Amino acid sequence: QYQRLANYSPSTYDRRQVFRANIVYDVPRVINSDSLRILHAVVDGWQITGVATFSSGAPYTPIVNISGAGTEILPSGAAITGMPLITGSNTESARLAVVSGCNPNPGSSNPYAQINPACFTAPAVGSIGLESGLNFLTAPGLNNWDLSIHKSLNLTERVHSELRVDAFNAFNHTQFTAVNNTLNFSKLPNPTPTNLPYNSAGQLVNPNGFGTVSTAAGPRILQLMLRVQF
C-alpha cells in the first residue's frame, strides 16, 4: 500500500523549462563600389546562423550506501541485496532520510557543493524506505550556443565554393551534467558520513565526494570547412 507514496515522482526526462532559438543573420553589405569587386567578394555575403538552448536540469535521486548493510549472506550461502539489514527486504532498498525543514538544494554554482549534506541522515533500522522520495533534486541546467559563420561564392558559372566555421558551445560555458549522488556511511549501528567533500573546518578534502560534480559536457569545439562544387 506504500508503493505510490514511495515512488510517485517526476520522470527522469522531466525538464521544467526549455527555451530554444534559431538564429539567422545576414551581415550587411560593406563594399558598395562596383570597382572593388574582389574586395566585395571577400568581405560581403557572410551569414551567421546558430541555435541557442537554455534548459532546466534533469531530476535525480540522492541515494545511500551503508557499509555492511547492502548484502546479507543466508545460511545456504546465497546473497540477497537491497539493504535487508535495514528494511528486511531484498527488493525494497533503504533511502536517505531528509532532515525536516532543511533544503538539500543550495542553488550554488560551486562544483563541490551541489547538494547540502547536512540535510541528510542515515535511515534507521526497520525503515520501509519512505524517508525520502524519488527525483526530488535537480541537476544543473543547460546554457549552450552553437554558432556558424559561412559564405558562399560563385567562382565561375560552374564552380561554386562555400567557407564555413562552426563553433559548438561557442562561448565555452561550463556545462555540468551529473552529480555524485551517493552518500556513504560507516557501519551500523552508529553510521557516520564518510565521503563528505568538506571537513568540519570548511576545507575541501574530497573533490569527488557527495554532492560534487562528476561529469561535464565538452568545451568549445571549432570546425572549419571549405567546400567546392563543380
Side-chain angles (χ1 to χ4, degrees):
Q1 71 269 31
Y2 297 115
Q3 287 295 319
R4 185 179 187 277
L5 178 63
N7 298 324
Y8 186 81
S9 71
S11 63
T12 55
Y13 54 82
D14 176 74
R15 301 293 185 276
R16 294 303 171 94
Q17 290 89 29
V18 177
F19 175 82
R20 179 167 291 167
N22 295 313
I23 304 162
V24 178
Y25 176 70
D26 292 320
V27 179
R29 181 172 176 172
V30 177
I31 306 301
N32 294 315
S33 174
D34 292 336
S35 61
L36 301 174
R37 293 182 179 180
I38 296 178
L39 188 59
H40 163 72
V42 174
V43 174
D44 294 334
W46 291 93
Q47 185 182 70
I48 299 174
T49 60
V51 178
T53 303
F54 306 90
S55 172
S56 301
Y60 68 97
T61 305
I63 59 179
V64 59
N65 177 56
I66 301 178
S67 178
T71 302
E72 182 179 11
I73 306 300
L74 301 178
S76 64
I80 57 176
T81 59
M83 290 198 178
L85 298 183
I86 294 179
T87 63
S89 170
N90 65 332
T91 59
E92 303 304 318
S93 185
R95 298 183 183 179
L96 271 173
V98 180
V99 177
S100 178
C102 186
N103 182 9
N105 187 357
S108 172
S109 60
N110 183 351
Y112 305 111
Q114 294 294 301
I115 304 176
N116 181 5
C119 292
F120 299 98
T121 61
V125 174
S127 162
I128 59 173
L130 297 180
E131 288 92 340
S132 60
L134 299 177
N135 291 338
F136 61 91
L137 291 182
T138 304
L142 182 68
N143 176 0
N144 187 73
W145 295 72
D146 295 331
L147 299 175
S148 297
I149 181 169
H150 56 92
K151 174 181 175 59
S152 297
L153 179 65
N154 294 320
L155 301 177
T156 67
E157 291 184 0
R158 296 185 177 183
V159 180
H160 174 77
S161 68
E162 179 184 358
L163 177 63
R164 183 184 185 100
V165 179
D166 299 318
F168 304 97
N169 189 10
F171 299 114
N172 205 30
H173 287 146
T174 301
Q175 313 280 354
F176 299 139
T177 56
V179 176
N180 181 352
N181 63 331
T182 303
L183 182 55
N184 296 329
F185 288 91
S186 60
K187 293 182 178 181
L188 298 171
N190 297 311
T192 56
T194 59
N195 67 330
L196 297 181
Y198 292 92
N199 60 18
S200 58
Q203 299 170 323
L204 180 65
V205 293
N206 185 3
N208 298 314
F210 175 68
T212 62
V213 170
S214 56
T215 60
R220 180 194 299 116
I221 297 175
L222 297 178
Q223 175 178 281
L224 176 64
M225 182 191 75
L226 176 62
R227 186 180 196 181
V228 179
Q229 292 178 309
F230 54 89

